[in-house]
Amino acid sequence: MDIEDIVSGYHAAMLHKSADDLADLYAEDGLHEFPFGGLPPYVGREQIRAGYQAMWDSAGMEAQEVRRLALHRTHDPEVVVVEQDTHVTAGGQPIIVPGLLVLRIRNGEIVHTRDYMDTSAIARVRAAGG
């Protein structure tokens, strides 16, 4: 898979809350970190799958759209930065959750993600019933 396919697949998995589709983008020993989210990292494809399944099952919100704002390639050919806005509905309220992904992709698989989310937007989602 190329970078474009991986980013598109990542966003589709978020939109459909498919932990299986998301985890399948990762290398077996992939790492997913939440530097600003206060969550422990997910280590390995199966922990990524289980962690996202639990997170999405408990979230009382529905994603309406995941909008890619930009895809930045870096000097390191394995690293891309994705700017995104996730449009969700929580408790009947529309909320936009800005985010930034730093992805390291090797041999067509994600080996490392640093997932930066707007924590104030996440707090609004939780307060709305999500």
Side-chain angles (χ1 to χ4, degrees), residues 82-99:
V82 182
E83 294 179 65
Q84 63 194 27
D85 280 343
T86 305
H87 296 250
V88 303
T89 302
Q93 298 178 37
I95 300 171
I96 298 172
V97 181

Side-chain angles (χ1 to χ4, degrees), residues 5-82:
D5 291 335
I6 289 171
V7 173
S8 294
Y10 193 107
H11 285 162
M14 288 175 61
L15 182 63
H16 299 101
K17 295 195 317 190
S18 175
D20 287 331
D21 290 348
L22 183 67
D24 289 347
L25 297 171
Y26 280 81
E28 187 175 333
D29 60 349
L31 174 64
H32 189 111
E33 296 179 298
F34 303 93
F36 294 160
L39 300 170
Y42 298 144
V43 180
R45 183 185 298 143
E46 295 314 311
Q47 201 174 86
I48 292 165
R49 184 184 322 275
Y52 266 94
Q53 188 67 54
M55 185 186 320
W56 286 337
D57 281 351
S58 68
M61 60 89 182
E62 291 299 321
Q64 306 301 314
E65 178 184 9
V66 181
R67 185 176 299 164
R68 180 194 312 178
L69 303 176
L71 174 67
H72 304 282
R73 297 177 189 267
T74 68
H75 292 295
D76 183 335
E78 291 186 345
V79 177
V80 296
V81 178
V82 182

